[in-house]
Amino acid sequence: MSKTGADSGRGSRSRVRRGAVVAALVVTAALLVVGLVGFFADPLRLPPEVLGVLDQRASVVSMFIGAAGLVIAVAALMLQLRSERRQTTAEPPVQLPPAPGTQTQLNMPAAGGTVNAVQGGTLNIHNPAAPGGRPDGGGQEPSS
């Protein structure tokens, strides 16, 4: 069952887009066929001098198209670099707290021990300097 209503218009828009894409592909394929036939069959029977002039003009046109493509590529690269700079100067990503039941370990070399904590559970403190981990000889301290 569709989540959008029948009168939302999304279905008709996608059909129109699909039809436009199919029409563009058909036109492109037809132009390709016409170009290949014109290239191999030479239906106009132009003399070599005219073909030489047309070839030179086509070379100049393709040079300008290539230069325009280079300008567009440089502009796109500049925009991408600018957007990446904005993202790096933005605030750091939000770090979510660990899920319940996950274990966190803190190494505290200055205090001479390690603290293992399970969220919502027990708190284990291990101090290698004291026998048994705690000064009074116990190994675990239950959290409240």
Side-chain angles (χ1 to χ4, degrees):
M1 182 166 193
S2 175
K3 290 184 179 181
T4 58
D7 57 350
S8 69
R10 286 188 181 179
S12 64
R13 276 189 253 153
S14 67
R15 281 190 217 120
V16 170
R17 285 183 188 158
R18 245 184 255 136
V21 168
V22 168
L25 289 174
V26 167
V27 168
T28 303
L31 288 175
L32 177 66
V33 168
V34 168
L36 288 174
V37 167
F39 180 75
F40 289 114
D42 190 22
L44 300 177
R45 308 271 187 244
L46 297 174
E49 297 84 25
V50 175
L51 287 176
V53 170
L54 291 176
D55 181 44
Q56 289 175 349
R57 289 182 183 172
S59 296
V60 171
V61 169
S62 67
M63 180 186 65
F64 282 113
I65 290 174
L70 181 64
V71 169
I72 291 171
V74 168
L77 180 63
M78 298 290 283
L79 288 173
Q80 181 181 0
L81 291 174
R82 186 178 301 158
S83 70
E84 286 176 0
R85 270 192 233 125
R86 282 189 201 142
Q87 288 176 357
T88 57
T89 59
E91 61 187 49
V94 176
Q95 293 186 359
L96 300 174
T102 58
Q103 183 171 350
T104 305
Q105 178 175 348
L106 301 172
N107 293 322
M108 301 185 306
T114 303
V115 175
N116 290 320
V118 176
Q119 188 173 354
T122 60
L123 177 66
N124 302 323
I125 300 175
H126 174 67
N127 187 352
R134 283 188 14 209
D136 62 352
Q140 285 189 346
E141 248 182 12
S143 62
S144 53

